[in-house]
Amino acid sequence: MSKTSNAADRRGLTDAQRNAVAELMRVSPIADELGRRFTKAGYELHLVGGSVRDALLGRLGDDLDFTTDAHPDDILRVLKGWAESTWETGREFGTIGAQRHGMRLEITTFRSEAYDGVTRNPVVRFGDNLLDDLRRRDFTVNAMAVSLPDHRFTDPYGGLDDLAARRIRTPGTPQESFGDDPLRMLRAARFAAQLRFTVDPDVVAAMTSMAADLDRITVERIRDEFTKLLSGADPVAGLRLLVDTGLAVRFLPELPGLKLAIDEHAQHKDVYEHTLTVVSNAVRLEGGAEADFVLRMAALMHDIGKPATKAVGPDNRVSFHHHEVVGARMTKLRMKELRYPKDVTSDVVKLVALHLRFYGYGRGEWTDSAVRRYVADAGDLLPRLHKLTRSDCTTRNRRKAAQLASDYDTLEARIAQIQADEDLARVRPDLDGNAIMELLGVPPGPIVGRAWRHLKEIRLEHGPLDRDEAEAELLRWARDEGVI
C-alpha cells in the first residue's frame, strides 16, 4: 500500500525533511515543467531514487533522476525543443539524458533488470508501472517517488521509515535484490560510508552469503563503486563492512590480509586496525571541500607490504623491513587490476613508497641534502606526504606521539626555510640541456641526459651553484667520464 508524506509526522522526521520535496518543486520549476510536458504527451513522469532521498536529507544536487512509462524514442520527442541538450549514452538501459538551466536530468523508462547468473551485464526489460519499477530498485530509501506535476508521494516499501532510522534495507528480499545486481552489495557498504547509514542485519547476512557473486561484475563497476565508498564521509564504516562480509577479498584481498600481521609497536590490535585509524586520520587532515581519493587510497594501502615482509627476531620483536617497497609494488599491481588511471596509480604508489622516509629524521641524521631529496622525490605530492606521514602516527603513547608531531613540525619548518632560499619545489640542475650541449659541444643524446642527472645530484647534495661553479663541475665530470 502506498504511503503519503502526511504520515511523516509519526516517523520522527523534521519539518525541514517533511517539506523537502515541496521545496524541491519550488526551487526546481523545471521538474514541474517537464512533468506537464509528459502529461500532455500522455505519459507519466516521476522523480525517483537518489533525488527523492537527497531532497529529504536536505542535500539535493544539480542532478535529477526520473522514471516514466515512455520509451526512449518517446522521451526524446517530449524533450525536443525544451531541453538545451540531450544524450543517449544510457539508451540501451532505457535512459535518456538532458540538460536545462544548469540541471542534469536522467529520464529512464520503467524497467525490470536481472542478471542471468552467468553474464556480467544486466538484461533490460521495460516495465509498465511505477510500483514494479520501485521494487527493482536497490534499497528502500531509493524506492520512493514524487509524481509530476501533481506532487503525489509514493513510498510502497517504507523508505521514509528507513530514512528516518538511517537504515539500509532492500524493497524485496536482499537475495532477490543482490541476485538482480550483485554490485548492490558493494553499494550497501558505500551508503554506510557515504550517508553514515546502518545496514540491516538481513542485508549484511545476504552480503556475506552471496559475496562470491560479486565476481560476476565488471572490474570497472567495482572500481567506481569502491572509489565512491572510499571518498565517503565515513569510509572506515564501509571498509569494515567489506571485510566483515567477505566482499573485500573478492577485489581487494590485501585489506583483510592485514589482519594477519601484528603491529611491531604492540600498540594496536593488528595492522588492519592501525590502517583503518590511518585512513580516519587522513580524512581528518585532508582539508578542502572534496575528498582526496589519492591521499585516502595511499593511507589504505601504505602497510599492505607488511604481511609479506613480517619477520620475528631473536628477541621476539616483529619487524617489517622494506615493507614500503614491497607495498608500493603490490599497490601498483592491485590498482592496475582495478584499472585505475595511470596518473592516479602513480601518485598513490609514490606516497606508499615514501611514507616511511621521515622516520629517520628525529634521530638528527638528516642533512640539508636529505631534506632536498625528500622534497624532490615527493614533488607535487609533498602536501599529501605531509598528511600521510602525520596520519601514520597512531601510537597511544602520548609522549611519543607528541615527539613525532614535534619532529615533523621541525621538518616542515626546515623545508620552508630551505624552500625560501632555494625554491625546492622546482629542483633542477643549474645548467639546462641547451647549456650542456653548448659547453660540451655534443648533440642531443644519452650524454646530455647523463650530464643533466649528474648536475641534479650535485644540486641536491650541495644546493644551488652559480654559473661558473656549475660549468666547472660539468667540465670536471665530462673529463672524468671521457666525454671531452
Side-chain angles (χ1 to χ4, degrees):
M1 181 176 64
S2 178
K3 303 176 183 178
T4 68
S5 56
N6 293 332
D9 290 316
R10 56 184 173 81
R11 292 178 180 156
L13 296 182
T14 66
D15 288 341
Q17 289 172 315
R18 292 200 308 273
N19 295 329
V21 173
E23 178 67 8
L24 167 66
M25 296 302 109
R26 186 184 70 79
V27 300
S28 299
I30 62 171
D32 273 347
E33 289 178 21
L34 189 59
R36 286 191 290 270
R37 290 182 71 90
F38 272 79
T39 298
K40 184 177 180 180
Y43 301 111
E44 300 176 28
L45 185 71
H46 311 273
L47 189 71
V48 290
S51 294
V52 176
R53 181 199 70 223
D54 288 345
L56 289 166
L57 291 172
R59 45 175 285 164
L60 187 70
D62 296 331
D63 297 335
L64 298 178
D65 296 322
F66 301 88
T67 190
T68 179
D69 55 345
H71 286 205
D73 286 340
D74 305 319
I75 296 171
L76 285 168
R77 280 194 292 271
V78 174
L79 293 174
K80 186 176 182 180
W82 181 83
E84 294 163 359
S85 63
T86 60
W87 54 92
E88 303 180 43
T89 51
R91 185 188 181 96
E92 63 178 311
F93 300 108
T95 300
I96 299 296
Q99 181 165 322
R100 182 173 170 86
H101 295 171
M103 302 291 289
R104 289 174 57 89
L105 319 173
E106 287 201 343
I107 306 157
T108 302
T109 306
F110 292 152
R111 69 182 189 224
S112 175
E113 63 188 25
Y115 284 75
D116 61 12
V118 178
T119 63
R120 294 185 169 195
N121 295 313
V123 177
V124 177
R125 301 183 183 91
F126 291 149
D128 58 12
N129 68 85
L130 175 63
L131 293 183
D132 286 348
D133 181 88
L134 294 179
R135 181 176 175 80
R136 59 148 287 275
R137 294 182 178 271
D138 52 5
F139 305 114
T140 60
V141 294
N142 294 330
M144 299 179 283
V146 177
S147 301
L148 301 167
D150 62 356
H151 302 175
R152 177 169 43 87
F153 186 62
T154 303
D155 176 23
Y157 303 108
L160 206 56
D161 283 331
D162 291 333
L163 198 65
R166 306 184 73 81
R167 177 175 57 220
I168 294 296
R169 288 191 310 115
T170 53
T173 67
Q175 291 77 9
E176 178 185 29
S177 180
F178 299 154
D180 280 349
D181 186 352
L183 188 69
R184 291 172 174 174
M185 295 185 287
L186 195 54
R187 195 173 298 149
R190 190 247 291 185
F191 282 138
Q194 197 173 55
L195 301 176
R196 291 193 168 105
F197 279 20
T198 300
V199 181
D200 186 79
D202 288 345
V203 175
V204 173
M207 291 166 66
T208 304
S209 65
M210 299 178 68
D213 286 12
L214 192 65
D215 296 347
R216 291 197 275 123
I217 302 301
T218 61
V219 68
E220 291 86 356
R221 294 183 73 206
I222 291 173
R223 175 203 62 208
D224 291 348
E225 200 64 45
F226 175 71
T227 300
K228 293 175 184 177
L229 184 157
L230 195 58
S231 301
D234 183 13
V236 170
L239 293 170
R240 285 192 185 281
L241 195 55
L242 292 181
V243 172
D244 292 346
T245 57
L247 286 166
V249 77
R250 314 309 305 188
F251 69 95
L252 191 65
E254 295 83 1
L255 179 57
L258 291 174
K259 286 190 172 186
L260 302 178
I262 304 301
D263 187 84
E264 72 270 33
H265 302 299
Q267 294 295 326
H268 302 280
K269 181 179 179 181
D270 51 33
V271 179
Y272 170 72
E273 290 295 332
H274 163 74
T275 294
L276 296 184
T277 301
V278 174
V279 172
S280 292
N281 290 345
V283 171
R284 178 174 51 83
L285 291 178
E286 66 185 2
E290 296 185 0
D292 186 341
F293 174 78
V294 168
L295 174 62
R296 294 183 183 200
M297 189 65 173
L300 182 66
M301 305 296 279
H302 80 286
D303 273 351
I304 64 167
K306 280 189 171 180
T309 57
K310 179 181 176 181
V312 181
D315 57 356
N316 290 322
R317 285 184 61 82
V318 177
S319 64
F320 304 98
H321 294 305
H322 305 301
H323 74 267
E324 74 281 12
V325 177
V326 173
R329 184 168 63 247
M330 293 171 64
T331 297
K332 184 176 182 179
L333 290 173
R334 178 56 57 198
M335 293 187 72
K336 182 178 180 181
E337 287 191 13
L338 289 172
R339 300 184 185 175
Y340 276 101
K342 289 182 180 180
D343 58 335
V344 174
T345 299
S346 176
D347 286 350
V348 174
V349 168
K350 182 181 285 189
L351 287 171
V352 172
L354 292 175
H355 84 273
L356 276 187
R357 182 80 68 87
F358 159 73
Y359 286 95
Y361 182 79
R363 295 191 295 268
E365 301 170 356
W366 282 34
T367 62
D368 283 353
S369 172
V371 175
R372 293 187 192 99
R373 291 178 187 278
Y374 186 75
V375 174
D377 289 347
D380 293 341
L381 294 172
L382 184 63
R384 285 180 169 130
L385 183 57
H386 288 333
K387 293 170 185 175
L388 177 61
T389 303
R390 289 184 182 276
S391 297
D392 196 25
C393 176
T394 63
T395 176
R396 296 176 185 175
N397 183 319
R398 292 185 178 182
R399 185 170 61 180
K400 183 176 181 181
Q403 185 60 57
L404 286 170
S406 176
D407 287 345
Y408 209 84
D409 288 342
T410 302
L411 174 59
E412 287 202 59
R414 191 171 172 190
I415 289 172
Q417 182 58 54
I418 299 177
Q419 170 71 49
D421 297 335
E422 303 180 17
D423 189 15
L424 285 183
R426 299 180 60 83
V427 171
R428 295 289 186 274
D430 296 287
L431 299 175
D432 63 18
N434 290 328
I436 291 171
M437 288 187 288
E438 181 180 351
L439 193 61
L440 298 183
V442 297
I447 291 176
V448 179
R450 287 166 51 203
W452 190 93
R453 288 189 291 273
H454 172 73
L455 289 176
K456 182 176 180 180
E457 285 298 309
I458 295 298
R459 171 75 164 78
L460 288 169
E461 187 68 28
H462 300 290
L465 305 178
D466 62 30
R467 179 78 182 198
D468 290 343
E469 291 172 327
E471 291 182 353
E473 177 59 36
L474 176 63
L475 292 172
R476 184 201 62 75
W477 172 85
R479 286 192 293 270
D480 291 345
E481 294 293 313
V483 174
I484 57 175

